[in-house]
Amino acid sequence: MSSRIRIFVVELLSQMKEQDISELERIFQEKIDQDIKIEPKDWMPDNYRKTLIRQISQHAHSEIVGMLPEGNWITRAPNLRRKAVLLAKVQDEAGHGLYLYSATETLGADREDTIDDLHSGKAKYSSIFNYPTLTWADMGAVGWLVDGAAIMNQVPLCRCSYGPYARAMVRVCKEESFHQRQGYEIMMTLMSGTIEQKEMAQDALNRFWWPSLMMFGPPDTDSKHTKQSMEWRIKRHTNDELRQMMVDFTVPQAEAIGLTIPDPDLKWNEEKGGYDYGEIDWDEFWNVVKGNGPCNKDRIDTRRKAKENGAWVREAANAHAEKRKDRKIA
Amino acid sequence: MNSLFEYLVRLGDDSLILGHRLSEWCGHGPILEEDIAMTNISLDLIGQATTFLEHAGKVEGKGRSEDDLAFLRYQKDYKNLLLVERPNGDFGVTMMRQFLFDAFRKPLFERLVNSKDEQLSAIAAKSLKETTYHLRHSSEWVIRLGDGTEESHQRVQDALDELWKYTAEMFVEDEVNQNLTENGIIPSMEGLKEEWNATVTSVLDQATLTIPTNNWEQHGGRNGKHSEHLGFILTELQYMQRAYPGMEW
Amino acid sequence: MTNKEWPLWEVFIRSKQGLSHKHFGSLRASDEKMAIENARDVYTRRSEGISIWVVESSNIVASDPSKADSLYDPSNSKVYRHPTFYDVPDGIEHM
C-alpha cells in the first residue's frame, strides 16, 4: 500500500470511529432520557464513567471515614442499648462503604487503588467528618443531621441512571432508615433530661448545624458538576434544592423537642413555602475541603494506619490460599 | 454469697469485656470485610452480656439492672477472665485470644443448655449458635495466619506464647461452680478441658503452631484481682455514667 | 511486601425458602470459606438470607451487551412461549 493510500485509510477509519461514537452517544443519551438503566458492560461515554467513579468512590470514602467520628464513642456509650445501636450503625457504614466500592469496581476501578487515592489526599470525602465528636450528644446530632442530610442526598440516587449505583443506594437507604431515627431519639432523650443534658444537646446542634448544611455541596452557582450530572441523571436535584429541603424538614423537628437552630436569620417565607436561612460560611467549607478542618489529618492517618497494619494479614491470607491450592493439586 | 448471681456475672463480664475489646477494632480492621465481621462478634458479645447481666440482676433481687451491673461496679467486682481483658495487640493477638476463648465457650454453652435454670439455659442456647460461628471464624484465621507467611506465623506464635498462661483460669472449679453443680443448677463440667484441648490441638496443628511448654498459670480475674488493663477499660466504659451520674440516656 | 488484593467474589442469596438465589453484590476474600463468612457478615446483617452462594467473579462468563440483539431479540418473536398467546374461553379457571 502506498503511503498516500495508507493515510487516506487511516483518516477514513478515524472518521468512521467518530461517527460510531456519536451514534453510541446518541443511543446512550436516549436510554438515559427514557430512564433505562446503564449497566456495567454497556457502552458509556468516558466522562460518564469518570464522573461516576469519582462520585461513587467519594461516597464510599465518606462512609468509611464517617465510621471514625462515631466509632470514637463506642467504648464510651452510656448504656448497653446505646452501645449496641451505635456499633450496629457504624458497622452498617462499613457495609455501605463496601457496597459502594463494589459499584466502583463494576466501572473498572480497583478498590485498593481507590482507597490509596483517599490516603494520598487525591480523593475527597464528605467534609463533615473532619469535625470532631466531643460529647455524647454529638452521636445524636450526627445521626439526626448528618444521616438526615445523607438520606436526602441518597434517596434520589436510588433512581440514578447507573444500575449498580442505584441498586447499592436502594440497600443503603433501606438500612439507613434507623440511623436518623436513633440520632433524633438521642436528642429527644437529652432534651427531656437534666440541664446538663439539654445544654449538651444544644451545643451539639450549634456545632453541627452549619456543617450539615454544607454537606450538600457548594451553591448551584458554583457547582461545576451539577449540570452534566443532571443531564446524565446521576443527579436528580441541585445542591440548593436539597439544602432547602433539609432546612424545611429539620426546623420543625428541632422545635418539637425544644432545640434552637443557631441561625438568627432563619424565618418562614410564606411566599416560597419554605424557610429563608442565613449566609453559609463557604470560606470555612472550602478550607475544610482543602484539608484545614479540625480533624482532616487525624482521619486520614487513622485510615492509612489501619491499612498498613493490615498488610501482613492480607498477605498471610493470600499465602495460605496459595498453599491450599497447591496442596489440592499435589 | 449467691452462687448463681456470681456465676452469671462471670459469664456476663467475659462477654462484656471481650465485646468491649473487639469494639475497639471498629473502623480499624485489616480489611473492610473483617472490620464488619469483628463488629458482628462484638455485637453478639454485648448482646450476651446484656442478657446474662439482666438475669444476674434479677437473681440478686436488689433491683440492679443490667446497666447498673455493667457500668456501676468497682473494678474488683468485675469477674471476667484475665484473658479477655488482654489488649488487642495486632490482629494476630486478637484472633488468638478469640480462638482460645471461643474454643472454651462453645463446649461450655453446650453444657449450660442443660441447666435447670430455664433462663440460663435459654441464654446458653442462643449464645451457643453465635459462639459456634465465632469459633469457626477465629479457627480459620488462626490457621490462615499460622500457615500463611513467615511473618504471620511468627506473629501468631508470639501471640499464643503470650496468651497461653491465661487459659488455665477458664477451667477453675471453685465453690461457686461446685455449689451450682451440687444443687443441679448447672451440669457437670466434666470433659470440658479435654474438649478444649482437642479443639486447640487440632487447630494449632493445622496452623503449624507449637503449643508453649511454659505451663505457668496466671489467675485472678474470677476473684476480682485484675491486671492493670481493666482499669483503663472501665475508665472508658463507665465514663458517661460516672461523669453524669443518675441520668437517662 | 506485596500488595496483591484478595480475589473478588459475587454473592448470591436465597432470602427465603421457595425463592431462587439472587445476586446481592460482591466482596473480597482470600478463599471460599472466608467468602462465605464475609458474605454472611456483609449481606445478611438483618437476616436477609437462608442460603448463600459465592463464586469468584473471574469465573463468571458474561454475554456481550452489544450482541444483546442477536441473543435476546429473536425470542421476542416467539410469542407462543407466553401463556397470554392462547385464548381461553371465559369462565375457564385455574389455567
Side-chain angles (χ1 to χ4, degrees), chain A residues 75-76 78 80 82 91 111 194 197 200 302-303 314 320 323 327, chain B residues 27-28 30 33 36 40 67 147-148 236 240-241 244 247-249:
Chain A
T75 56
R76 289 178 291 172
L80 291 167
R82 293 282 180 215
Q91 185 198 35
R111 178 163 115 192
T194 63
Q197 286 175 305
M200 196 192 275
T302 304
R303 289 306 311 162
R314 297 189 300 274
H320 179 70
K323 284 186 193 176
R327 268 177 234 147
Chain B
H28 309 272
E33 284 83 348
I36 295 171
N40 255 352
D67 282 328
D147 187 28
E236 285 191 41
M240 289 297 293
Q241 290 290 344
Y244 304 92
M247 298 182 200
E248 293 292 319
W249 301 96

PDB file of all heavy atoms in Angstrom, chain A residues 75-76 78 80 82 91 111 194 197 200 302-303 314 320 323 327, chain B residues 27-28 30 33 36 40 67 147-148 236 240-241 244 247-249:
ATOM      1  N   THR A  75     -16.840   2.833  72.752  1.00  0.00           N
ATOM      2  CA  THR A  75     -16.399   2.325  74.058  1.00  0.00           C
ATOM      3  C   THR A  75     -16.908   3.194  75.206  1.00  0.00           C
ATOM      4  O   THR A  75     -16.802   2.817  76.360  1.00  0.00           O
ATOM      5  CB  THR A  75     -14.863   2.251  74.139  1.00  0.00           C
ATOM      6  OG1 THR A  75     -14.323   3.554  73.857  1.00  0.00           O
ATOM      7  CG2 THR A  75     -14.299   1.248  73.148  1.00  0.00           C
ATOM      8  N   ARG A  76     -17.444   4.383  74.884  1.00  0.00           N
ATOM      9  CA  ARG A  76     -17.917   5.275  75.953  1.00  0.00           C
ATOM     10  C   ARG A  76     -19.432   5.451  75.963  1.00  0.00           C
ATOM     11  O   ARG A  76     -19.946   6.318  76.682  1.00  0.00           O
ATOM     12  CB  ARG A  76     -17.257   6.654  75.792  1.00  0.00           C
ATOM     13  CG  ARG A  76     -15.774   6.647  76.125  1.00  0.00           C
ATOM     14  CD  ARG A  76     -15.160   8.017  75.908  1.00  0.00           C
ATOM     15  NE  ARG A  76     -15.113   8.373  74.498  1.00  0.00           N
ATOM     16  CZ  ARG A  76     -14.768   9.582  74.038  1.00  0.00           C
ATOM     17  NH1 ARG A  76     -14.463  10.545  74.893  1.00  0.00           N
ATOM     18  NH2 ARG A  76     -14.729   9.818  72.743  1.00  0.00           N
ATOM     19  N   PRO A  78     -23.242   5.416  76.831  1.00  0.00           N
ATOM     20  CA  PRO A  78     -23.702   5.484  78.218  1.00  0.00           C
ATOM     21  C   PRO A  78     -24.464   4.270  78.733  1.00  0.00           C
ATOM     22  O   PRO A  78     -24.590   4.112  79.936  1.00  0.00           O
ATOM     23  CB  PRO A  78     -24.625   6.712  78.222  1.00  0.00           C
ATOM     24  CG  PRO A  78     -25.076   6.853  76.815  1.00  0.00           C
ATOM     25  CD  PRO A  78     -23.961   6.375  75.969  1.00  0.00           C
ATOM     26  N   LEU A  80     -25.937  -0.086  77.639  1.00  0.00           N
ATOM     27  CA  LEU A  80     -25.711  -1.221  76.735  1.00  0.00           C
ATOM     28  C   LEU A  80     -26.525  -1.104  75.457  1.00  0.00           C
ATOM     29  O   LEU A  80     -26.049  -1.443  74.375  1.00  0.00           O
ATOM     30  CB  LEU A  80     -26.043  -2.534  77.455  1.00  0.00           C
ATOM     31  CG  LEU A  80     -25.057  -2.909  78.580  1.00  0.00           C
ATOM     32  CD1 LEU A  80     -25.628  -4.029  79.448  1.00  0.00           C
ATOM     33  CD2 LEU A  80     -23.704  -3.330  78.006  1.00  0.00           C
ATOM     34  N   ARG A  82     -27.577   1.674  73.907  1.00  0.00           N
ATOM     35  CA  ARG A  82     -26.963   2.676  73.026  1.00  0.00           C
ATOM     36  C   ARG A  82     -25.666   2.146  72.414  1.00  0.00           C
ATOM     37  O   ARG A  82     -25.334   2.453  71.274  1.00  0.00           O
ATOM     38  CB  ARG A  82     -26.679   3.960  73.799  1.00  0.00           C
ATOM     39  CG  ARG A  82     -27.915   4.702  74.270  1.00  0.00           C
ATOM     40  CD  ARG A  82     -28.567   5.495  73.146  1.00  0.00           C
ATOM     41  NE  ARG A  82     -29.753   6.190  73.620  1.00  0.00           N
ATOM     42  CZ  ARG A  82     -30.845   6.377  72.894  1.00  0.00           C
ATOM     43  NH1 ARG A  82     -30.915   5.928  71.669  1.00  0.00           N
ATOM     44  NH2 ARG A  82     -31.867   7.028  73.396  1.00  0.00           N
ATOM     45  N   GLN A  91     -21.130  -0.210  61.967  1.00  0.00           N
ATOM     46  CA  GLN A  91     -20.904  -1.390  61.125  1.00  0.00           C
ATOM     47  C   GLN A  91     -21.658  -1.257  59.803  1.00  0.00           C
ATOM     48  O   GLN A  91     -21.128  -1.598  58.744  1.00  0.00           O
ATOM     49  CB  GLN A  91     -21.372  -2.639  61.866  1.00  0.00           C
ATOM     50  CG  GLN A  91     -21.065  -3.918  61.104  1.00  0.00           C
ATOM     51  CD  GLN A  91     -21.902  -5.076  61.599  1.00  0.00           C
ATOM     52  OE1 GLN A  91     -23.055  -4.919  61.986  1.00  0.00           O
ATOM     53  NE2 GLN A  91     -21.314  -6.244  61.600  1.00  0.00           N
ATOM     54  N   ARG A 111     -10.498  -1.403  43.901  1.00  0.00           N
ATOM     55  CA  ARG A 111     -10.836  -0.899  45.231  1.00  0.00           C
ATOM     56  C   ARG A 111      -9.620  -0.354  45.984  1.00  0.00           C
ATOM     57  O   ARG A 111      -9.667   0.748  46.523  1.00  0.00           O
ATOM     58  CB  ARG A 111     -11.491  -2.000  46.059  1.00  0.00           C
ATOM     59  CG  ARG A 111     -11.827  -1.533  47.470  1.00  0.00           C
ATOM     60  CD  ARG A 111     -12.820  -2.481  48.124  1.00  0.00           C
ATOM     61  NE  ARG A 111     -12.251  -3.166  49.262  1.00  0.00           N
ATOM     62  CZ  ARG A 111     -12.815  -4.211  49.859  1.00  0.00           C
ATOM     63  NH1 ARG A 111     -13.929  -4.704  49.387  1.00  0.00           N
ATOM     64  NH2 ARG A 111     -12.273  -4.781  50.901  1.00  0.00           N
ATOM     65  N   THR A 194     -31.769  16.388  82.175  1.00  0.00           N
ATOM     66  CA  THR A 194     -31.320  17.445  83.083  1.00  0.00           C
ATOM     67  C   THR A 194     -30.832  18.660  82.302  1.00  0.00           C
ATOM     68  O   THR A 194     -30.698  18.612  81.072  1.00  0.00           O
ATOM     69  CB  THR A 194     -30.159  16.938  83.946  1.00  0.00           C
ATOM     70  OG1 THR A 194     -29.064  16.631  83.068  1.00  0.00           O
ATOM     71  CG2 THR A 194     -30.543  15.699  84.724  1.00  0.00           C
ATOM     72  N   GLN A 197     -27.816  17.923  80.282  1.00  0.00           N
ATOM     73  CA  GLN A 197     -28.105  17.169  79.052  1.00  0.00           C
ATOM     74  C   GLN A 197     -28.672  18.077  77.965  1.00  0.00           C
ATOM     75  O   GLN A 197     -28.307  17.959  76.796  1.00  0.00           O
ATOM     76  CB  GLN A 197     -29.067  16.017  79.364  1.00  0.00           C
ATOM     77  CG  GLN A 197     -28.386  14.873  80.110  1.00  0.00           C
ATOM     78  CD  GLN A 197     -29.366  13.799  80.529  1.00  0.00           C
ATOM     79  OE1 GLN A 197     -30.360  14.086  81.209  1.00  0.00           O
ATOM     80  NE2 GLN A 197     -29.106  12.563  80.148  1.00  0.00           N
ATOM     81  N   MET A 200     -25.926  20.078  76.560  1.00  0.00           N
ATOM     82  CA  MET A 200     -25.092  19.214  75.717  1.00  0.00           C
ATOM     83  C   MET A 200     -25.728  19.067  74.329  1.00  0.00           C
ATOM     84  O   MET A 200     -25.037  19.155  73.304  1.00  0.00           O
ATOM     85  CB  MET A 200     -24.999  17.842  76.395  1.00  0.00           C
ATOM     86  CG  MET A 200     -23.920  16.935  75.908  1.00  0.00           C
ATOM     87  SD  MET A 200     -24.170  15.246  76.541  1.00  0.00           S
ATOM     88  CE  MET A 200     -23.395  15.364  78.127  1.00  0.00           C
ATOM     89  N   THR A 302      -5.537   7.800  60.504  1.00  0.00           N
ATOM     90  CA  THR A 302      -6.138   6.610  61.112  1.00  0.00           C
ATOM     91  C   THR A 302      -6.438   5.548  60.060  1.00  0.00           C
ATOM     92  O   THR A 302      -6.138   4.369  60.239  1.00  0.00           O
ATOM     93  CB  THR A 302      -7.457   6.988  61.829  1.00  0.00           C
ATOM     94  OG1 THR A 302      -7.162   8.021  62.764  1.00  0.00           O
ATOM     95  CG2 THR A 302      -8.054   5.806  62.551  1.00  0.00           C
ATOM     96  N   ARG A 303      -7.044   6.005  58.949  1.00  0.00           N
ATOM     97  CA  ARG A 303      -7.371   5.044  57.892  1.00  0.00           C
ATOM     98  C   ARG A 303      -6.103   4.438  57.282  1.00  0.00           C
ATOM     99  O   ARG A 303      -6.035   3.259  56.995  1.00  0.00           O
ATOM    100  CB  ARG A 303      -8.207   5.711  56.784  1.00  0.00           C
ATOM    101  CG  ARG A 303      -9.641   6.050  57.174  1.00  0.00           C
ATOM    102  CD  ARG A 303     -10.394   4.860  57.718  1.00  0.00           C
ATOM    103  NE  ARG A 303     -10.279   3.684  56.882  1.00  0.00           N
ATOM    104  CZ  ARG A 303     -10.545   2.450  57.286  1.00  0.00           C
ATOM    105  NH1 ARG A 303     -10.959   2.217  58.501  1.00  0.00           N
ATOM    106  NH2 ARG A 303     -10.405   1.428  56.460  1.00  0.00           N
ATOM    107  N   ARG A 314      -3.436  -9.431  55.243  1.00  0.00           N
ATOM    108  CA  ARG A 314      -3.956  -9.710  53.900  1.00  0.00           C
ATOM    109  C   ARG A 314      -2.981 -10.582  53.117  1.00  0.00           C
ATOM    110  O   ARG A 314      -3.373 -11.505  52.401  1.00  0.00           O
ATOM    111  CB  ARG A 314      -4.221  -8.383  53.155  1.00  0.00           C
ATOM    112  CG  ARG A 314      -5.292  -7.523  53.821  1.00  0.00           C
ATOM    113  CD  ARG A 314      -5.685  -6.336  52.956  1.00  0.00           C
ATOM    114  NE  ARG A 314      -4.575  -5.451  52.655  1.00  0.00           N
ATOM    115  CZ  ARG A 314      -4.175  -4.448  53.435  1.00  0.00           C
ATOM    116  NH1 ARG A 314      -4.800  -4.201  54.572  1.00  0.00           N
ATOM    117  NH2 ARG A 314      -3.155  -3.691  53.089  1.00  0.00           N
ATOM    118  N   HIS A 320      -1.701 -18.293  52.391  1.00  0.00           N
ATOM    119  CA  HIS A 320      -2.351 -19.519  52.834  1.00  0.00           C
ATOM    120  C   HIS A 320      -3.248 -20.098  51.725  1.00  0.00           C
ATOM    121  O   HIS A 320      -3.252 -21.313  51.494  1.00  0.00           O
ATOM    122  CB  HIS A 320      -3.174 -19.261  54.088  1.00  0.00           C
ATOM    123  CG  HIS A 320      -3.892 -20.466  54.595  1.00  0.00           C
ATOM    124  ND1 HIS A 320      -3.233 -21.528  55.166  1.00  0.00           N
ATOM    125  CD2 HIS A 320      -5.207 -20.801  54.582  1.00  0.00           C
ATOM    126  CE1 HIS A 320      -4.119 -22.458  55.485  1.00  0.00           C
ATOM    127  NE2 HIS A 320      -5.329 -22.048  55.141  1.00  0.00           N
ATOM    128  N   LYS A 323      -1.096 -21.869  49.267  1.00  0.00           N
ATOM    129  CA  LYS A 323      -0.636 -23.167  49.777  1.00  0.00           C
ATOM    130  C   LYS A 323      -1.740 -24.213  49.661  1.00  0.00           C
ATOM    131  O   LYS A 323      -1.485 -25.356  49.301  1.00  0.00           O
ATOM    132  CB  LYS A 323      -0.230 -23.048  51.252  1.00  0.00           C
ATOM    133  CG  LYS A 323       1.114 -22.383  51.464  1.00  0.00           C
ATOM    134  CD  LYS A 323       1.478 -22.451  52.941  1.00  0.00           C
ATOM    135  CE  LYS A 323       2.649 -21.524  53.240  1.00  0.00           C
ATOM    136  NZ  LYS A 323       2.975 -21.475  54.671  1.00  0.00           N
ATOM    137  N   ARG A 327      -1.683 -27.682  47.532  1.00  0.00           N
ATOM    138  CA  ARG A 327      -1.901 -28.987  48.158  1.00  0.00           C
ATOM    139  C   ARG A 327      -3.004 -29.772  47.447  1.00  0.00           C
ATOM    140  O   ARG A 327      -2.920 -30.977  47.292  1.00  0.00           O
ATOM    141  CB  ARG A 327      -2.264 -28.809  49.635  1.00  0.00           C
ATOM    142  CG  ARG A 327      -1.034 -28.850  50.525  1.00  0.00           C
ATOM    143  CD  ARG A 327      -1.433 -28.598  51.974  1.00  0.00           C
ATOM    144  NE  ARG A 327      -0.649 -27.506  52.505  1.00  0.00           N
ATOM    145  CZ  ARG A 327      -1.082 -26.641  53.400  1.00  0.00           C
ATOM    146  NH1 ARG A 327      -2.329 -26.709  53.842  1.00  0.00           N
ATOM    147  NH2 ARG A 327      -0.302 -25.690  53.848  1.00  0.00           N
TER     148      ARG A 327
ATOM    149  N   GLY B  27     -13.668   0.203  62.714  1.00  0.00           N
ATOM    150  CA  GLY B  27     -13.082   1.303  61.948  1.00  0.00           C
ATOM    151  C   GLY B  27     -11.580   1.154  61.737  1.00  0.00           C
ATOM    152  O   GLY B  27     -10.959   1.962  61.055  1.00  0.00           O
ATOM    153  N   HIS B  28     -10.976   0.128  62.341  1.00  0.00           N
ATOM    154  CA  HIS B  28      -9.522  -0.021  62.244  1.00  0.00           C
ATOM    155  C   HIS B  28      -9.096  -1.398  61.755  1.00  0.00           C
ATOM    156  O   HIS B  28      -7.919  -1.755  61.858  1.00  0.00           O
ATOM    157  CB  HIS B  28      -8.890   0.240  63.614  1.00  0.00           C
ATOM    158  CG  HIS B  28      -9.346   1.527  64.257  1.00  0.00           C
ATOM    159  ND1 HIS B  28      -8.718   2.739  64.019  1.00  0.00           N
ATOM    160  CD2 HIS B  28     -10.380   1.800  65.076  1.00  0.00           C
ATOM    161  CE1 HIS B  28      -9.361   3.695  64.686  1.00  0.00           C
ATOM    162  NE2 HIS B  28     -10.374   3.160  65.337  1.00  0.00           N
ATOM    163  N   PRO B  30      -8.174  -4.840  59.488  1.00  0.00           N
ATOM    164  CA  PRO B  30      -7.176  -5.007  58.423  1.00  0.00           C
ATOM    165  C   PRO B  30      -7.765  -4.913  57.021  1.00  0.00           C
ATOM    166  O   PRO B  30      -7.044  -4.645  56.068  1.00  0.00           O
ATOM    167  CB  PRO B  30      -6.602  -6.396  58.676  1.00  0.00           C
ATOM    168  CG  PRO B  30      -7.623  -7.106  59.485  1.00  0.00           C
ATOM    169  CD  PRO B  30      -8.338  -6.064  60.277  1.00  0.00           C
ATOM    170  N   GLU B  33     -14.051  -6.075  55.077  1.00  0.00           N
ATOM    171  CA  GLU B  33     -14.879  -7.245  55.355  1.00  0.00           C
ATOM    172  C   GLU B  33     -14.638  -7.748  56.777  1.00  0.00           C
ATOM    173  O   GLU B  33     -15.554  -8.164  57.470  1.00  0.00           O
ATOM    174  CB  GLU B  33     -14.577  -8.371  54.353  1.00  0.00           C
ATOM    175  CG  GLU B  33     -15.181  -8.178  52.968  1.00  0.00           C
ATOM    176  CD  GLU B  33     -14.338  -7.288  52.052  1.00  0.00           C
ATOM    177  OE1 GLU B  33     -13.394  -6.639  52.551  1.00  0.00           O
ATOM    178  OE2 GLU B  33     -14.630  -7.239  50.839  1.00  0.00           O
ATOM    179  N   ILE B  36     -16.155  -5.590  59.516  1.00  0.00           N
ATOM    180  CA  ILE B  36     -17.574  -5.907  59.692  1.00  0.00           C
ATOM    181  C   ILE B  36     -17.743  -7.200  60.494  1.00  0.00           C
ATOM    182  O   ILE B  36     -18.582  -7.284  61.386  1.00  0.00           O
ATOM    183  CB  ILE B  36     -18.257  -6.016  58.309  1.00  0.00           C
ATOM    184  CG1 ILE B  36     -18.230  -4.642  57.627  1.00  0.00           C
ATOM    185  CG2 ILE B  36     -19.682  -6.538  58.426  1.00  0.00           C
ATOM    186  CD1 ILE B  36     -18.682  -4.655  56.173  1.00  0.00           C
ATOM    187  N   ASN B  40     -19.529  -7.733  64.172  1.00  0.00           N
ATOM    188  CA  ASN B  40     -20.617  -8.691  64.394  1.00  0.00           C
ATOM    189  C   ASN B  40     -20.374  -9.495  65.664  1.00  0.00           C
ATOM    190  O   ASN B  40     -21.281  -9.688  66.467  1.00  0.00           O
ATOM    191  CB  ASN B  40     -20.711  -9.673  63.217  1.00  0.00           C
ATOM    192  CG  ASN B  40     -21.887  -9.343  62.323  1.00  0.00           C
ATOM    193  OD1 ASN B  40     -22.705  -8.494  62.644  1.00  0.00           O
ATOM    194  ND2 ASN B  40     -21.968 -10.021  61.203  1.00  0.00           N
ATOM    195  N   ASP B  67     -27.635  -2.510  83.155  1.00  0.00           N
ATOM    196  CA  ASP B  67     -26.773  -1.332  83.013  1.00  0.00           C
ATOM    197  C   ASP B  67     -26.092  -0.983  84.341  1.00  0.00           C
ATOM    198  O   ASP B  67     -24.921  -0.607  84.352  1.00  0.00           O
ATOM    199  CB  ASP B  67     -27.582  -0.134  82.500  1.00  0.00           C
ATOM    200  CG  ASP B  67     -27.840  -0.222  80.995  1.00  0.00           C
ATOM    201  OD1 ASP B  67     -26.969  -0.768  80.285  1.00  0.00           O
ATOM    202  OD2 ASP B  67     -28.902   0.230  80.541  1.00  0.00           O
ATOM    203  N   ASP B 147      -0.357 -20.688  59.135  1.00  0.00           N
ATOM    204  CA  ASP B 147       0.128 -21.335  57.915  1.00  0.00           C
ATOM    205  C   ASP B 147       0.093 -20.339  56.751  1.00  0.00           C
ATOM    206  O   ASP B 147      -0.282 -20.684  55.647  1.00  0.00           O
ATOM    207  CB  ASP B 147      -0.756 -22.558  57.605  1.00  0.00           C
ATOM    208  CG  ASP B 147      -0.201 -23.380  56.448  1.00  0.00           C
ATOM    209  OD1 ASP B 147       1.026 -23.366  56.239  1.00  0.00           O
ATOM    210  OD2 ASP B 147      -1.005 -24.023  55.751  1.00  0.00           O
ATOM    211  N   GLY B 148       0.470 -19.106  57.027  1.00  0.00           N
ATOM    212  CA  GLY B 148       0.469 -18.078  55.988  1.00  0.00           C
ATOM    213  C   GLY B 148       1.879 -17.740  55.566  1.00  0.00           C
ATOM    214  O   GLY B 148       2.547 -18.541  54.917  1.00  0.00           O
ATOM    215  N   GLU B 236     -13.118   4.085  80.295  1.00  0.00           N
ATOM    216  CA  GLU B 236     -13.898   4.425  79.092  1.00  0.00           C
ATOM    217  C   GLU B 236     -15.339   3.944  79.228  1.00  0.00           C
ATOM    218  O   GLU B 236     -16.281   4.688  78.979  1.00  0.00           O
ATOM    219  CB  GLU B 236     -13.277   3.781  77.851  1.00  0.00           C
ATOM    220  CG  GLU B 236     -12.020   4.496  77.408  1.00  0.00           C
ATOM    221  CD  GLU B 236     -11.536   4.036  76.040  1.00  0.00           C
ATOM    222  OE1 GLU B 236     -12.374   3.827  75.140  1.00  0.00           O
ATOM    223  OE2 GLU B 236     -10.309   3.880  75.886  1.00  0.00           O
ATOM    224  N   MET B 240     -19.387   7.958  80.942  1.00  0.00           N
ATOM    225  CA  MET B 240     -20.632   8.742  80.952  1.00  0.00           C
ATOM    226  C   MET B 240     -21.382   8.587  82.274  1.00  0.00           C
ATOM    227  O   MET B 240     -21.887   9.564  82.831  1.00  0.00           O
ATOM    228  CB  MET B 240     -21.539   8.300  79.796  1.00  0.00           C
ATOM    229  CG  MET B 240     -21.061   8.695  78.418  1.00  0.00           C
ATOM    230  SD  MET B 240     -20.998  10.478  78.181  1.00  0.00           S
ATOM    231  CE  MET B 240     -22.736  10.882  78.232  1.00  0.00           C
ATOM    232  N   GLN B 241     -21.467   7.357  82.748  1.00  0.00           N
ATOM    233  CA  GLN B 241     -22.214   7.105  83.981  1.00  0.00           C
ATOM    234  C   GLN B 241     -21.552   7.764  85.188  1.00  0.00           C
ATOM    235  O   GLN B 241     -22.234   8.181  86.126  1.00  0.00           O
ATOM    236  CB  GLN B 241     -22.348   5.596  84.212  1.00  0.00           C
ATOM    237  CG  GLN B 241     -23.276   4.904  83.223  1.00  0.00           C
ATOM    238  CD  GLN B 241     -24.751   5.270  83.435  1.00  0.00           C
ATOM    239  OE1 GLN B 241     -25.139   5.805  84.473  1.00  0.00           O
ATOM    240  NE2 GLN B 241     -25.573   5.005  82.427  1.00  0.00           N
ATOM    241  N   TYR B 244     -21.784  11.861  84.561  1.00  0.00           N
ATOM    242  CA  TYR B 244     -23.146  12.401  84.650  1.00  0.00           C
ATOM    243  C   TYR B 244     -24.007  11.417  85.430  1.00  0.00           C
ATOM    244  O   TYR B 244     -24.846  10.730  84.843  1.00  0.00           O
ATOM    245  CB  TYR B 244     -23.731  12.608  83.253  1.00  0.00           C
ATOM    246  CG  TYR B 244     -22.907  13.493  82.360  1.00  0.00           C
ATOM    247  CD1 TYR B 244     -21.943  12.953  81.519  1.00  0.00           C
ATOM    248  CD2 TYR B 244     -23.093  14.874  82.361  1.00  0.00           C
ATOM    249  CE1 TYR B 244     -21.185  13.773  80.692  1.00  0.00           C
ATOM    250  CE2 TYR B 244     -22.331  15.698  81.538  1.00  0.00           C
ATOM    251  CZ  TYR B 244     -21.371  15.135  80.709  1.00  0.00           C
ATOM    252  OH  TYR B 244     -20.623  15.939  79.899  1.00  0.00           O
ATOM    253  N   MET B 247     -28.361   9.802  85.274  1.00  0.00           N
ATOM    254  CA  MET B 247     -29.190  10.357  84.187  1.00  0.00           C
ATOM    255  C   MET B 247     -29.632   9.266  83.207  1.00  0.00           C
ATOM    256  O   MET B 247     -29.019   8.229  83.102  1.00  0.00           O
ATOM    257  CB  MET B 247     -28.417  11.446  83.444  1.00  0.00           C
ATOM    258  CG  MET B 247     -28.055  12.611  84.348  1.00  0.00           C
ATOM    259  SD  MET B 247     -27.203  13.916  83.464  1.00  0.00           S
ATOM    260  CE  MET B 247     -26.410  14.763  84.848  1.00  0.00           C
ATOM    261  N   GLU B 248     -30.703   9.572  82.504  1.00  0.00           N
ATOM    262  CA  GLU B 248     -31.217   8.656  81.472  1.00  0.00           C
ATOM    263  C   GLU B 248     -30.595   9.019  80.134  1.00  0.00           C
ATOM    264  O   GLU B 248     -30.493  10.199  79.799  1.00  0.00           O
ATOM    265  CB  GLU B 248     -32.734   8.810  81.355  1.00  0.00           C
ATOM    266  CG  GLU B 248     -33.519   8.347  82.572  1.00  0.00           C
ATOM    267  CD  GLU B 248     -33.445   6.852  82.759  1.00  0.00           C
ATOM    268  OE1 GLU B 248     -33.531   6.144  81.731  1.00  0.00           O
ATOM    269  OE2 GLU B 248     -33.267   6.394  83.906  1.00  0.00           O
ATOM    270  N   TRP B 249     -30.259   8.024  79.355  1.00  0.00           N
ATOM    271  CA  TRP B 249     -29.623   8.307  78.049  1.00  0.00           C
ATOM    272  C   TRP B 249     -30.402   7.688  76.924  1.00  0.00           C
ATOM    273  O   TRP B 249     -29.972   7.538  75.842  1.00  0.00           O
ATOM    274  CB  TRP B 249     -28.180   7.812  78.057  1.00  0.00           C
ATOM    275  CG  TRP B 249     -27.439   8.476  79.146  1.00  0.00           C
ATOM    276  CD1 TRP B 249     -27.203   7.983  80.399  1.00  0.00           C
ATOM    277  CD2 TRP B 249     -26.852   9.790  79.127  1.00  0.00           C
ATOM    278  NE1 TRP B 249     -26.520   8.896  81.154  1.00  0.00           N
ATOM    279  CE2 TRP B 249     -26.288  10.012  80.397  1.00  0.00           C
ATOM    280  CE3 TRP B 249     -26.771  10.791  78.153  1.00  0.00           C
ATOM    281  CZ2 TRP B 249     -25.639  11.217  80.726  1.00  0.00           C
ATOM    282  CZ3 TRP B 249     -26.121  11.980  78.471  1.00  0.00           C
ATOM    283  CH2 TRP B 249     -25.565  12.177  79.759  1.00  0.00           C
TER     284      TRP B 249
END
